[in-house]
Amino acid sequence: MGNAKSRSGQNACSQFLPEERAEIDRLFDALSSGKHSSNTPHRSFSLQALQSHIGEALPPEMVTRLYDGMQRVNLTGTAKGPSEGVSQEQFTVSMSHLLKGNSEEKSLIILKMISATEGPVKAREVLKFTEDLVGSVVHVLDHRQQLRGWTQKKAPGCPPRVQVLAAQLFSEMKLQEGEKLLGPQQLDCDCDRAMIEDWVFRTPHVATFLSVVIHRGFLLLCSSLNLSALLPERLVDQGREFESILDVLSVIYLNSHLPREQRHRWHLLFSSELHGHSFAQLCGLITQRGPCVMLLEDHDGHVFGGFASCSWEVKPQFQGDDRCFLFSISPSMAVYTCTGYNDHYMYLNHRQQTIPNGLGMGGQHNYFGLWIDVDFGKGHSKAKPTCTTYNSPQLSAKENFRFEKLEVWAVGDPPESQLAKSKKSILDVDPEAQILLESCGRSCHSQGLREVPEDDE
């Protein structure tokens, strides 16, 4: 047993760089040397010591879960008493599994965080754990002031976004027969370690959220956490602050489905609250601006939208590519990717007499998966039973819906065309306006005020 014990500790230590191991050892020393350390012959720390160290950075229920998970790690094959604390080896092995481990190792700790008993746990226990985990992520980022400009949104009359995202993550759990756990009647199903391991493997958010809780809750190995890949920076021009339809959890969920190079920054292009209820204004502000996330909230409180992988262009043809997707945020979270059935990814048209004027994604003319009409404030989401392009259901509460709030966010860095446009003279930005002025006999007083272009080196 002693050899097995030392091998477990050695394997855990080998996962960390020397400087990482030193930081873990320093944290254990701090936890085990305080007034709340365990009163046992071997160095260990108590739940009270962990609570004292973490303070209000994590919810109490998550601190208890983490402590229980570590304390229940069995390195010797003999049961420990509940009064015994967490040993250094248990602490190191737990950090190794949670931060560096594979899905099998992570599932081991997760099961111990859920239940003290060996063997399967109930599905409802896994759901409660998932809710606690999701809530802890928002809690710790808010406590550490690392929401990066986003807020916690509490929509009246709707399920809290913590429950919505937790339900989405939990829905990825599969029974041994391969069926998903759908519906409240299956909450009493048993979930064994193989199911938990498969769930962790197929649902990356679980491992990511655990690492956020450890890194930011314990303030441990913080440089290892790339927060910008999880939560993008929120940019709104000229300090024009407003209350977004999105909250931090919605952004985290959507951001994880974007191409990796576009996850670090979201820049507001259009908001009906700031820019008015105008389709012409919408077109003017979102075209040629690179990949965008568009979303709206209908009058029934459903929040949904789409990701446009390419710059929007006003033209009568479909555009975009198979990286586009539709999504729902409320009352449930889901992403609907391309089926390959057709290439009707994106559509934007204005001021045409013979074909529809508006913005659409998926489906076909007059039967889009998502449609914003030129008569701003009206739209439709048609799917019987699903959209041919994205396999999405009806996203809105009613097939033909009305809305007040619509937002469009550019994601990632601005395209080169936009950077070049920002350096142009105002005379070049709108050549149609210049032609109109000249046709009316009006002179362009700024024509002689162009900046002399710098010589190319």
Side-chain angles (χ1 to χ4, degrees), residues 27-28 30-38 44-71 85-86 91 94-95 98 113 144 213-214 217-220:
L27 177 55
F28 178 80
L31 290 169
S32 60
S33 61
K35 63 180 181 179
H36 296 295
S37 58
S38 262
S44 61
F45 63 83
S46 66
L47 174 58
Q48 290 75 16
L50 187 62
Q51 291 170 332
S52 177
H53 172 76
I54 293 176
E56 297 181 355
L58 291 173
E61 58 270 18
M62 181 51 65
V63 179
T64 301
R65 283 190 184 277
L66 288 165
Y67 178 83
D68 289 343
M70 294 185 286
Q71 202 266 348
V86 175
F91 181 64
S94 298
M95 294 301 99
L98 289 174
M113 292 173 69
R144 301 296 186 199
V213 166
I214 297 294
F218 288 24
L219 290 179
L220 178 67

Side-chain angles (χ1 to χ4, degrees), residues 270-282 374-377 403-406:
F270 176 86
S271 163
S272 55
E273 180 180 327
L274 296 179
H275 303 105
H277 292 208
S278 165
F279 190 82
Q281 184 83 328
L282 172 68
V374 68
D375 185 3
F376 197 89
F403 67 91
E404 298 288 336
K405 297 179 180 179
L406 184 145

Side-chain angles (χ1 to χ4, degrees), residues 269-270 278-289 314 348 350 418 421:
L269 298 181
F270 176 86
S278 165
F279 190 82
Q281 184 83 328
L282 172 68
C283 291
L285 291 173
I286 71 171
T287 51
Q288 304 299 330
R289 299 300 297 269
V314 177
L348 179 62
H350 191 33
Q418 178 61 27
K421 182 178 179 180

Side-chain angles (χ1 to χ4, degrees), residues 85-123:
V86 175
S87 69
Q88 184 166 12
E89 198 163 12
Q90 284 178 313
F91 181 64
T92 304
V93 169
S94 298
M95 294 301 99
S96 173
H97 286 0
L98 289 174
L99 298 178
K100 304 272 190 174
N102 55 32
S103 55
E104 179 184 3
E105 293 166 329
K106 285 181 169 65
S107 67
L108 172 69
I109 305 297
I110 289 172
L111 276 171
K112 295 183 182 301
M113 292 173 69
I114 292 173
S115 174
T117 60
E118 296 292 333
V121 295
K122 295 297 183 183

Side-chain angles (χ1 to χ4, degrees), residues 387-451:
C387 170
T388 54
T389 311
Y390 296 108
N391 200 34
S392 54
Q394 180 179 305
L395 301 173
S396 49
K398 301 181 179 69
E399 188 175 82
N400 296 290
F401 61 83
R402 302 184 72 90
F403 67 91
E404 298 288 336
K405 297 179 180 179
L406 184 145
E407 300 171 11
V408 182
W409 298 82
V411 294
D413 294 322
E416 292 184 6
S417 59
Q418 178 61 27
L419 295 174
K421 182 178 179 180
S422 65
K423 296 179 182 179
K424 286 184 177 181
S425 163
I426 189 63
L427 298 169
D428 300 317
V429 172
D430 193 351
E432 291 184 8
Q434 182 179 348
I435 294 171
L436 182 61
L437 282 172
E438 292 173 349
S439 67
C440 296
R442 304 290 296 274
S443 59
C444 297
H445 296 290
S446 58
Q447 185 70 44
L449 302 179
R450 291 178 182 269
E451 294 181 2

Side-chain angles (χ1 to χ4, degrees), residues 31-323:
L31 290 169
S32 60
S33 61
K35 63 180 181 179
H36 296 295
S37 58
S38 262
N39 187 20
T40 60
H42 302 287
R43 290 181 63 200
S44 61
F45 63 83
S46 66
L47 174 58
Q48 290 75 16
L50 187 62
Q51 291 170 332
S52 177
H53 172 76
I54 293 176
E56 297 181 355
L58 291 173
E61 58 270 18
M62 181 51 65
V63 179
T64 301
R65 283 190 184 277
L66 288 165
Y67 178 83
D68 289 343
M70 294 185 286
Q71 202 266 348
R72 292 166 183 164
V73 170
N74 191 336
L75 299 170
T76 63
T78 58
K80 289 184 63 175
S83 61
E84 295 185 51
V86 175
S87 69
Q88 184 166 12
E89 198 163 12
Q90 284 178 313
F91 181 64
T92 304
V93 169
S94 298
M95 294 301 99
S96 173
H97 286 0
L98 289 174
L99 298 178
K100 304 272 190 174
N102 55 32
S103 55
E104 179 184 3
E105 293 166 329
K106 285 181 169 65
S107 67
L108 172 69
I109 305 297
I110 289 172
L111 276 171
K112 295 183 182 301
M113 292 173 69
I114 292 173
S115 174
T117 60
E118 296 292 333
V121 295
K122 295 297 183 183
R124 66 175 69 255
E125 295 178 286
V126 181
L127 177 58
K128 182 62 172 68
F129 164 81
T130 310
E131 291 176 350
D132 288 349
L133 179 61
V134 172
S136 297
V137 169
V138 181
H139 184 105
V140 73
L141 293 179
D142 187 27
H143 181 82
R144 301 296 186 199
Q145 298 182 339
Q146 292 185 317
L147 293 178
R148 310 196 78 202
W150 302 98
T151 60
Q152 294 177 252
K153 186 179 178 66
K154 296 178 175 62
C158 296
R161 294 277 168 87
V162 167
Q163 293 180 14
V164 174
L165 180 53
Q168 195 285 325
L169 300 181
F170 177 74
S171 71
E172 296 299 321
M173 179 83 69
K174 288 185 178 181
L175 297 169
Q176 291 180 341
E177 298 80 13
E179 298 179 8
K180 287 190 175 182
L181 282 169
L182 301 175
Q185 70 276 9
Q186 292 187 308
L187 289 178
D188 287 322
C189 290
D190 286 335
C191 299
D192 60 18
R193 183 172 170 182
M195 290 174 59
I196 300 294
E197 181 182 338
D198 176 72
W199 177 58
V200 172
F201 179 78
R202 291 185 301 99
T203 315
H205 281 101
V206 177
T208 300
F209 287 175
L210 281 168
S211 68
V212 171
V213 166
I214 297 294
H215 287 307
R216 303 314 305 158
F218 288 24
L219 290 179
L220 178 67
L221 306 179
C222 293
S223 61
S224 303
L225 177 65
N226 180 13
L227 198 59
S228 64
L230 176 75
L231 184 61
E233 179 185 12
R234 177 185 186 268
L235 297 178
V236 178
D237 287 342
Q238 301 174 351
R240 301 180 68 182
E241 287 305 311
F242 76 110
E243 184 179 358
S244 173
I245 303 170
L246 292 164
D247 71 320
V248 61
L249 289 176
S250 307
V251 175
I252 287 174
Y253 177 68
L254 291 177
N255 202 53
S256 68
H257 291 85
L258 300 181
R260 194 168 298 276
E261 66 274 12
Q262 293 162 3
R263 297 180 185 178
H264 60 286
R265 180 182 298 114
W266 287 30
H267 182 182
L268 183 71
L269 298 181
F270 176 86
S271 163
S272 55
E273 180 180 327
L274 296 179
H275 303 105
H277 292 208
S278 165
F279 190 82
Q281 184 83 328
L282 172 68
C283 291
L285 291 173
I286 71 171
T287 51
Q288 304 299 330
R289 299 300 297 269
C292 300
V293 170
M294 179 197 70
L295 69 150
L296 60 89
E297 181 176 14
D298 70 17
H299 283 185
D300 295 288
H302 285 216
V303 178
F304 51 93
F307 168 62
S309 59
C310 310
S311 287
W312 285 101
E313 297 180 49
V314 177
K315 61 181 184 181
Q317 295 86 25
F318 284 96
Q319 49 195 292
D321 59 35
D322 60 7
R323 295 173 298 169

